[in-house]
Amino acid sequence: KGYSYDDYKSTVEKVSGKDFKKYFDDCVEGVTPLERILAHQLDHVGCVVEISHNPVVWESSFGLKLSQSGEKIVVTAVDPGSPADKVLSVNDEILEVNKKPLTPENLKSLFHDKQMLELHISSAGKHKIRTMLKDGASYFNLYSIKKSTSASDSQKLNYKKWLNQEF
């Protein structure tokens, strides 16, 4: 059967005993970045969010995630506001990059150190040429949660209450 959005929301509020309207409005239905909220909440238990650069060049530089489906390279996600977001959609197949056929073997080399890409794609059965320009921003960053090296005794106690284990 699965769960509806309302089931999820009411379960969160019932388990926590708190009103999560602002969270759902801002972060689930809205576009407020979770990083700010997480940073504040994790500080309570002596932890920090570390953000690192994604080493996968098409993800970090152009904002697209790709997967291989047989011999096809297909777009599986685009980061909102990224260069990919302006020209690609999920499920687009990328046929060529800068007039060279895209294969799993040459994927890295065709995206590496490029400022501009001319993409030959198949989108909803139609072939199109799209140009994608690198904008200098970083997309699909990697996030990890670490224990703070300067956690107070109070934060360490909250951590233990939260996870039922020592800090």
Side-chain angles (χ1 to χ4, degrees):
K1 171 193 166 207
Y3 297 95
S4 71
Y5 174 81
D6 290 333
D7 291 337
Y8 171 59
K9 186 176 176 184
S10 67
T11 300
V12 167
E13 291 179 341
K14 183 177 178 182
V15 169
S16 69
K18 296 183 179 182
D19 179 20
F20 272 77
K21 180 177 179 1
K22 182 164 176 44
Y23 165 77
F24 279 91
D25 288 348
D26 293 351
C27 300
V28 177
E29 295 175 23
V31 294
T32 299
L34 288 176
E35 294 88 347
R36 283 184 248 148
I37 294 168
L38 276 176
H40 176 72
Q41 298 302 319
L42 289 170
D43 180 63
H44 183 71
V45 294
C47 293
V48 295
V49 177
E50 284 190 3
I51 303 171
S52 57
H53 179 74
N54 186 334
V56 181
V57 70
W58 51 89
E59 293 180 7
S60 63
S61 296
F62 296 99
L64 72 150
K65 289 192 178 231
L66 302 171
S67 70
Q68 183 178 347
S69 177
E71 285 299 308
K72 297 178 180 180
I73 305 292
V74 179
V75 176
T76 56
V78 294
D79 202 339
S82 69
D85 188 37
K86 296 172 179 74
V87 298
L88 295 170
S89 298
V90 171
N91 295 324
D92 284 352
E93 178 187 357
I94 301 178
L95 305 168
E96 294 179 348
V97 176
N98 295 335
K99 300 187 179 178
K100 295 180 183 166
L102 181 63
T103 66
E105 295 76 33
N106 69 6
L107 182 61
K108 286 182 183 181
S109 67
L110 291 179
F111 280 87
H112 185 70
D113 283 337
K114 303 294 189 294
Q115 294 298 315
M116 182 189 82
L117 300 173
E118 182 182 275
L119 304 173
H120 179 191
I121 65 170
S122 176
S123 181
K126 296 180 182 175
H127 288 247
K128 302 174 182 180
I129 304 291
R130 297 286 186 252
T131 301
M132 191 165 55
L133 300 170
K134 191 189 268 188
D135 63 7
S138 185
Y139 300 97
F140 288 119
N141 290 316
L142 303 177
Y143 297 85
S144 57
I145 298 172
K146 308 266 181 172
K147 293 176 186 174
S148 173
T149 56
S150 59
S152 69
D153 290 340
S154 172
Q155 289 170 313
K156 291 176 182 179
L157 180 60
N158 291 335
Y159 180 92
K160 184 175 181 176
K161 288 178 185 177
W162 175 43
L163 293 176
N164 199 27
Q165 65 183 29
E166 294 298 323
F167 187 79

